[in-house]
Amino acid sequence: MCGIVGYIGKKNTKQILLDGLKELEYRGYDSAGIAVLEDGEFSNFKAVGKLVNLEEKTKDFKTKSFAIGIGHTRWATHGKPTEINAHPHLGESSYVVHNGIIENYATLKKELQTSGVTFLSQTDTEVIVHQFEKNQKNAKNSFEAFAKTVSQLHGAYAILLITKTEPETIFFAKHGSPMLVGINGENEKYFASSDTPLIGHCQSVNYFEDGDYGYVTPKEIAIFDKNGVKKEAKFSPLSQNKLLAQKDGFRFFMEKEIYEQSVVMSDTMMGRLGESEILFDELDKNLFDGINEIKLCACGTSYHSAMSASYLLERYSKIRTSLEIASEFRYREPIMSKDTLFVVISQSGETADTLETLKMAKTAGLKTLVICNVDNSSMVRLADATILTRAGIEKGVASTKAFATQVTVFWMLSLFIAKLKNSLSADEIASHISLLRELPSHVKVTDDMHERIKRLSKRYLHGHGFFFIGRDIFYPLALEGALKLKEISYLHAEGYPAGEMKHGPIALADPELFTIALLPKHLHYEKSKSNVEELSARDSTICAISQIEFDKADDFIEISECRHYMLEFFEMMVVLQLLSLEISVRLGNDVDMPRNLAKSVTVE
Ligand code: F6R
């Protein structure tokens, strides 16, 4: 995910910005840039790829004395990772950096273009600086123009803006994306989107709250809340532990990524939810012309999200959907017909088997689409169309937020196609959209839930195996739960369709066999329940996950009240992720780097 830094002071501004960006490298990025204002003159540098490229471009640049500067590392979400799309973005005499997504950027952009503004980039960010300069024309001062601009933005953002008319000031705004300002005894001010760049420079920091905006000069930190009321900064000591800061205080990146899901899923949906339609601006509507089947192809966790998608696409889009494991597909001489849309799913966009199947589909003349988390990855470059999942970099080898955002994209895609094919009414689509809007609150990890799972985990450390069972779309979720557990705990776990147990696997049932049962209230509850009862009657140890209390279970994890099975799906997903995490922690394993596994499998 993107990173922001800012600096006001007399030290080597360029180096402070570059060092700060380096501290944010772990968050992932595909381009970077800085803008510095010294003696009324701007210097701006941008580069695609790693920070060394930006260092190379800035090697002859040095500030002499006092300057202000802003810097950014960009993870592409709107527009390709090119130099033009890299931040900071320039208006006529101002620069801006931004994290998050401006939901109403298209409307603002159209208005600005009508009034004669020329846009250089494809980003949503560029509207901020042009809107600010437009407001400057009618405002008493730059702060008034900035405050007005902030009030016109919808979405999630952390923003820093500098302008020639205020050469000692950095304007800031925060809503939904993190941002802090740090101070030391040397009359300097540091900004960043997370603690790490400030460690070693500042002793205390103020974390801005949602809705905060204002300005900072060498002498003043002026903060206003969302109602425009001035407030005091609340400084707290800055922890000096970098690794802990990178993990935002969590024990593992995987844990941080589980907790992050609520935010990244909001990002996935941002700007894509209309009143009664899904807006995928990146998709050409003709993509689906002449298409009678969708073929989904992926590996591992991405395959599980593909399998989840197959239920949604057939149920809501009424389109025939088939599923392929990439490593199988590539060698089995498959029949490929041109009325099939070939969809690959990949967090990294680099998995060798999946990439190869995409090449096969292209060679066979099929239309192709990739659901991916990394812009400019091999798959994104190759496919005809791309939907980015916007999960930000995933560092934990065991995939969590990538899966969550993939399934979110597929839920939206099934509604997008349903509209094209008229398979759901506008009212039905609107009611799904209102469910999607509820999603982020359902994947928020509560202390109570985490504590309960932590406590329960001690009973699931041994035994001769785990069965994760579910029906319908809860079957791929069961597969994913089992994969998570085996990857990081090294315990044997299998996912099974609940109704299949009696066709063989139930022979394994005894008290040392652990069954993790997914019992959604809103999808085949009675059927799934009777499958679990069959196992309970054979004395298997059962942990039921449901919103309905289940008295035949040895353990019960209650999810919160949900009004639709897809909300239950995502609630249970979080429970399964936490359960794997806590079992593995108790077993003393390295959760982020499990044995024998790599994050990106670029070999066959
Ligand atoms: C499991 C996991 C893997 C990946 C698989 C495909 O937690 O991460 O199973 O899902 O290697 O990787 P991508 O999605 O990058 O193609």
Side-chain angles (χ1 to χ4, degrees):
M1 284 210 273
C2 309
I4 287 183
V5 292
Y7 176 69
I8 301 176
K10 289 187 179 160
K11 290 197 185 134
N12 184 346
T13 305
K14 172 194 87 175
Q15 207 49 51
I16 286 173
L17 296 175
L18 290 179
D19 290 349
L21 293 179
K22 220 176 221 131
E23 294 296 344
L24 295 173
E25 273 195 307
Y26 73 98
R27 302 180 74 83
Y29 65 103
D30 36 46
S31 57
I34 58 169
V36 174
L37 180 57
E38 184 185 24
D39 291 338
E41 285 306 317
F42 271 122
S43 307
N44 170 230
F45 306 89
K46 299 182 188 192
V48 173
K50 293 290 159 204
L51 277 172
V52 283
N53 301 340
L54 186 61
E55 277 166 354
E56 180 58 29
K57 286 198 166 182
T58 56
K59 69 176 190 298
D60 298 326
F61 168 67
K62 198 169 184 305
T63 45
K64 293 177 284 300
S65 179
F66 177 84
I68 62 175
I70 54 179
H72 191 265
T73 46
R74 173 171 186 258
W75 177 280
T77 55
H78 280 86
K80 296 267 146 216
T82 58
E83 215 168 287
I84 285 188
N85 287 336
H87 302 209
H89 287 285
L90 172 68
E92 279 175 9
S93 57
S94 320
Y95 274 100
V96 71
V97 291
H98 158 232
N99 283 354
I101 293 166
I102 304 301
E103 213 167 339
N104 59 333
Y105 87 100
T107 318
L108 293 174
K109 186 169 176 172
K110 212 175 269 165
E111 285 165 13
L112 288 160
Q113 280 171 325
T114 312
S115 62
V117 175
T118 308
F119 279 76
L120 296 176
S121 76
Q122 300 160 303
T123 64
D124 52 338
T125 303
E126 201 184 336
V127 297
I128 304 169
V129 68
H130 294 308
Q131 190 65 39
F132 166 73
E133 292 189 341
K134 181 178 170 191
N135 293 340
Q136 258 184 328
K137 293 189 180 118
N138 300 315
K140 280 203 305 285
N141 54 42
S142 295
F143 177 59
E144 189 182 286
F146 183 72
K148 179 161 183 202
T149 308
V150 172
S151 72
Q152 292 167 312
L153 303 176
H154 302 165
Y157 48 77
I159 296 167
L160 295 184
L161 182 144
I162 54 180
T163 184
K164 272 191 177 176
T165 51
E166 300 287 342
E168 298 201 345
T169 305
I170 294 184
F171 296 96
F172 68 86
K174 181 242 189 283
H175 184 72
S177 286
M179 171 71 79
L180 56 145
V181 63
I183 50 171
N184 54 22
E186 300 177 55
N187 221 9
E188 299 171 289
K189 305 286 183 301
Y190 289 76
F191 288 89
S193 51
S194 85
D195 290 353
T196 36
L198 273 51
I199 294 175
H201 293 291
C202 302
Q203 288 82 46
S204 50
V205 291
N206 169 79
Y207 295 91
F208 294 117
E209 290 170 18
D210 279 345
D212 284 359
Y213 66 96
Y215 58 88
V216 174
T217 68
K219 294 199 184 88
E220 190 184 2
I221 296 179
I223 309 175
F224 298 82
D225 71 12
K226 59 178 182 299
N227 302 314
V229 178
K230 198 160 184 186
K231 62 192 243 189
E232 287 296 313
K234 276 191 234 149
F235 281 97
S236 51
L238 178 65
S239 145
Q240 300 297 311
N241 182 333
K242 272 194 189 163
L243 193 61
L244 207 65
Q246 284 193 349
K247 293 179 188 162
D248 287 348
F250 291 103
R251 297 165 294 171
F252 302 98
F253 281 110
M254 181 189 178
E255 186 178 32
K256 169 177 174 275
E257 285 158 6
I258 293 171
Y259 273 74
E260 235 167 50
Q261 290 179 124
S262 174
V263 171
V264 296
M265 284 163 80
S266 300
D267 289 348
T268 306
M269 291 185 277
M270 191 88 65
R272 289 169 167 169
L273 303 183
E275 284 299 308
S276 58
E277 64 178 329
I278 296 293
L279 311 162
F280 277 128
D281 295 344
E282 56 273 73
L283 293 189
D284 184 338
K285 295 241 159 55
N286 301 334
L287 185 67
F288 295 92
D289 287 355
I291 294 298
N292 294 314
E293 179 180 342
I294 291 181
K295 197 177 268 304
L296 304 163
C297 187
C299 301
T301 289
S302 294
Y303 176 77
H304 297 152
S305 76
M307 190 187 280
S308 310
S310 68
Y311 290 87
L312 297 171
L313 290 167
E314 294 214 328
R315 182 161 288 146
Y316 298 133
S317 323
K318 299 289 175 227
I319 186 154
R320 191 166 61 238
T321 306
S322 58
L323 260 182
E324 306 283 351
I325 289 182
S327 54
E328 283 297 307
F329 186 74
R330 56 186 289 198
Y331 293 112
R332 71 170 175 75
E333 300 180 25
I335 295 168
M336 292 199 252
S337 68
K338 293 211 171 115
D339 65 348
T340 300
L341 176 68
F342 194 82
V343 182
V344 287
I345 304 94
S346 175
Q347 188 282 128
S348 61
E350 303 296 346
T351 302
D353 284 322
T354 313
L355 181 60
E356 194 52 39
T357 65
L358 179 59
K359 288 181 188 159
M360 285 164 66
K362 296 264 323 176
T363 308
L366 269 59
K367 288 191 193 173
T368 56
L369 166 68
V370 58
I371 313 292
C372 192
N373 193 32
V374 182
D375 202 354
N376 225 22
S377 56
S378 303
M379 286 182 221
V380 169
R381 288 200 303 271
L382 197 62
D384 299 322
T386 299
I387 302 178
L388 291 177
T389 50
R390 304 177 180 165
I393 194 168
E394 193 179 57
K395 294 200 71 141
V397 167
S399 183
T400 52
K401 61 178 181 165
F403 175 77
T405 52
Q406 285 167 348
V407 181
T408 307
V409 162
F410 274 122
W411 189 0
M412 290 193 286
L413 186 64
S414 71
L415 306 175
F416 181 85
I417 302 173
K419 165 121 200 280
L420 292 179
K421 290 177 56 89
N422 255 327
S423 54
L424 289 181
S425 69
D427 281 353
E428 285 169 318
I429 295 177
S431 82
H432 275 277
I433 290 173
S434 87
L435 291 167
L436 280 161
R437 290 189 195 282
E438 274 180 43
L439 253 188
S441 66
H442 283 279
V443 292
K444 264 199 182 125
V445 181
T446 62
D447 288 349
D448 280 357
M449 171 66 82
H450 199 159
E451 259 320 300
R452 166 131 186 84
I453 292 172
K454 224 179 240 174
R455 244 178 311 128
L456 262 184
S457 62
K458 65 173 172 287
R459 298 170 58 161
Y460 293 89
L461 306 178
H462 306 291
H464 61 70
F466 285 76
F467 272 109
F468 287 68
I469 61 168
R471 277 177 176 259
D472 203 285
I473 194 170
F474 291 82
Y475 164 46
L477 183 60
L479 288 172
E480 177 57 11
L483 180 65
K484 283 293 84 76
L485 185 68
K486 69 182 119 184
E487 277 182 294
I488 57 176
S489 73
Y490 320 139
L491 295 170
H492 180 232
E494 281 189 68
Y496 243 88
E500 267 292 295
M501 292 300 286
K502 56 183 164 301
H503 297 289
I506 204 166
L508 292 171
D510 69 18
E512 295 301 301
L513 178 83
F514 298 137
T515 300
I516 312 293
L518 306 180
L519 290 172
K521 176 179 172 186
H522 297 295
L523 199 67
H524 316 312
Y525 179 76
E526 290 302 329
K527 297 255 174 262
S528 309
K529 193 173 127 201
S530 57
N531 297 138
V532 182
E533 279 164 356
E534 288 155 13
L535 279 152
S536 162
R538 271 111 190 141
D539 228 10
S540 165
T541 300
I542 289 163
C543 175
I545 308 173
S546 182
Q547 55 177 320
I548 303 177
E549 178 112 36
F550 182 60
D551 57 10
K552 301 255 174 9
D554 300 85
D555 287 315
F556 176 62
I557 301 177
E558 187 178 11
I559 58 166
S560 60
E561 212 175 306
C562 300
R563 62 189 180 95
H564 190 271
Y565 73 86
M566 282 308 288
L567 301 180
E568 295 181 288
F569 177 96
F570 284 101
E571 288 240 359
M572 291 186 194
M573 172 197 78
V574 175
V575 170
L576 296 177
Q577 294 166 341
L578 289 172
L579 189 63
S580 300
L581 174 86
E582 291 306 334
I583 290 175
S584 312
V585 171
R586 280 190 189 273
L587 292 171
N589 299 343
D590 182 342
V591 169
D592 283 333
M593 277 199 258
R595 70 185 186 201
N596 308 339
L597 296 177
K599 185 68 191 158
S600 188
V601 187
T602 50
V603 291
E604 251 193 83

